[in-house]
Amino acid sequence: MGVEAPSKSPTPSFLDRIQSESRILPFVKYQGLGNDFIMVDNRDSLEPKVSPEQAIKLCDRNFGIGADGVIFVMPGTDGTDYTMRIFNSDGSEPEMCGNGVRCFAHFISELENFRGTRRFTVHTGAGLIIPEIQNDGQVKVDMGQPILAPQDIPTKLPANKGGAVVKAELVVDGVTWNVTCVSMGNPHCVTFGMRSQVLQVDELKLEQIGPKFEYHEMFPSRTNTAFVQVFSRSHLKMRVWERGAGATLACGTGACAVVVAAVLEGHAERKCVVELPGGPLQIEWREEDNHVYMTGPAEAVFYGSVPL
Ligand SMILES: N[C@H](CCC[C@H](N)C(=O)O)C(=O)O
C-alpha cells in the first residue's frame, strides 16, 4: 500500500512568509585584502536601496551580515558606465573606496556575465575612476590625481611645501607627530612617526590612537589615518584607522595616499609595494599623468539575502 499523499498543500514556510511580508535584499559579500563589503545591485535606481541607518545594522559583525561598508552599483552618470556609492559601517558616506571599487568591478562582471579582461568607467564622489580586470583576475584601478591643497583635503593644517602639507607637526593627545595630508577624493593623514622616533606599526594600539586622529580638530570632515614603516624605497608597510570604519585590514585609497606622502617626504620611489595586514597592493604615482594606479585582488565570499 503506497504512502498517502498529503491531503492539503504544504503551509507556507517561514521563508515564504518573509519573502511575502517584507522586502528582501539580495546581496553578495566581497572582500579586497580583507576590507569587506556588502555589494548591492542598484542598477535600476540612483536611490540607494539601503539607508545609512540600515547600513549600520547590516555591517554589524554580531547582529548583522558584518562588513566595513555597503556598496551600491548604480546607473552611470554623465556618460560613465556606472556610478558607485558607498556607506561606511558607521553610516557615513565617503567619496571613494579603493578596495571597494575593485570588488565593484568583479561584481559588475558577475551581474553582466562578462568574462575575461574588462574596463569600466565609474562615476564616484572622487570623480571618474577606471577599474580594469586583468587577465589574472587582479584589478588595476586608475585612482585619478592626488589632491594636496589643504582646503581640498580638507585640513586646517597650513601648507608648508609646494602648496601641500608635508611632514607637518600635529599634536595628538600631547604627542607631536609628523604628518603629510593627501586626498584621493577622501581625506588621508599619513604619518611615518614622531619627531625623533621611527614607527614600529605592529606595536601601535590603533583602537586608542586611531579615533584621536580621526576626530582631530585639524580635520573638519574627519580623516582616515595611515601609520607607515619604510622597509625600502619600494616597500612600505602600513596599518590604517579608517574614518567611519575603524581599524580595517586594508585601505586602497589609504595605500595610494601613503605612496604619494612617501614620495613627497623623500622616503620612496613612485612605484611601491604597500604591505597591509590583509595583504599587498601595487601602487604607482605615475609622473607622466600625475595619476595614481592601484593593482590588487577582489573576491566574492558568499551570496545571501536579508529582510529589510
Ligand atoms: N573609510 C573611508 C572609505 C573607505 C576607504 C577604504 N576602505 C578604501 O579601500 O579606500 C572614508 O571614510 O574615507
Side-chain angles (χ1 to χ4, degrees):
M1 180 174 73
V3 175
E4 284 291 306
S7 56
K8 60 185 176 58
S9 62
T11 50
S13 76
F14 79 97
L15 277 179
D16 298 331
R17 281 200 305 283
I18 286 175
Q19 299 260 8
S20 59
E21 289 160 13
S22 62
R23 223 151 53 82
I24 297 291
L25 178 79
F27 67 87
V28 184
K29 184 75 190 300
Y30 264 84
Q31 60 83 16
L33 299 184
N35 195 198
D36 59 343
F37 305 97
I38 298 162
M39 307 300 294
V40 175
D41 179 3
N42 219 105
R43 286 175 296 170
D44 58 356
S45 163
L46 279 171
E47 196 50 46
K49 292 182 174 179
V50 169
S51 69
E53 294 70 28
Q54 288 170 326
I56 295 169
K57 290 181 183 152
L58 295 176
C59 289
D60 188 292
R61 294 193 186 280
N62 296 99
F63 299 101
I65 299 163
D68 291 327
V70 183
I71 290 180
F72 305 93
V73 176
M74 295 176 155
T77 314
D78 301 333
T80 63
D81 298 326
Y82 298 95
T83 296
M84 179 176 90
R85 286 180 65 179
I86 169 175
F87 291 152
N88 282 315
S89 55
D90 76 345
S92 61
E93 180 168 5
E95 302 80 356
M96 177 50 193
C97 179
N99 290 316
V101 80
R102 298 200 313 275
C103 296
F104 187 94
H106 272 290
F107 183 43
I108 289 168
S109 295
E110 262 200 288
L111 291 173
E112 309 269 17
N113 289 312
F114 293 148
R115 292 287 175 272
T117 62
R118 197 82 188 186
R119 180 178 177 277
F120 304 103
T121 55
V122 183
H123 173 75
T124 73
L128 175 65
I129 299 292
I130 306 174
E132 181 170 6
I133 298 178
Q134 312 287 293
N135 283 321
D136 62 0
Q138 298 262 310
V139 186
K140 181 169 186 176
V141 187
D142 175 350
M143 297 285 284
Q145 301 189 35
I147 298 158
L148 300 173
Q151 66 275 16
D152 298 331
I153 302 280
T155 180
K156 295 177 185 170
L157 289 170
N160 63 350
K161 182 178 177 187
V165 178
V166 180
K167 208 169 182 177
E169 293 197 345
L170 179 72
V171 180
V172 182
D173 223 12
V175 176
T176 301
W177 295 73
N178 291 124
V179 301
T180 292
C181 299
V182 180
S183 168
M184 294 304 299
N186 58 345
H188 292 273
C189 174
V190 179
T191 182
F192 296 84
M194 303 154 202
R195 251 188 296 229
S196 54
Q197 191 182 335
V198 174
L199 269 188
Q200 300 299 320
V201 292
D202 290 340
E203 292 169 12
L204 282 169
K205 294 183 173 51
L206 275 190
E207 304 295 330
Q208 288 173 19
I209 190 70
K212 294 188 169 61
F213 275 88
E214 178 181 1
Y215 289 90
H216 199 286
E217 60 178 357
M218 285 293 135
F219 297 100
S221 301
R222 296 190 284 166
T223 188
N224 301 284
T225 305
F227 302 88
V228 192
Q229 213 166 320
V230 180
F231 284 165
S232 78
R233 292 188 61 77
S234 59
H235 182 191
L236 306 171
K237 179 174 183 178
M238 71 178 271
R239 289 179 69 199
V240 61
W241 180 268
E242 285 198 35
R243 175 182 65 169
T248 60
L249 293 180
C251 180
T253 51
C256 294
V258 159
V259 172
V260 172
V263 171
L264 291 174
E265 290 200 20
H267 302 301
E269 306 302 330
R270 285 173 167 269
K271 203 168 186 178
C272 291
V273 172
V274 178
E275 192 182 323
L276 294 123
L281 284 173
Q282 317 286 332
I283 308 290
E284 179 182 5
W285 180 20
R286 202 172 286 174
E287 194 146 20
E288 307 87 276
D289 59 5
N290 191 38
H291 283 219
V292 184
Y293 293 85
M294 166 190 67
T295 303
E299 287 174 5
V301 183
F302 61 85
Y303 301 72
S305 57
V306 62
L308 288 177

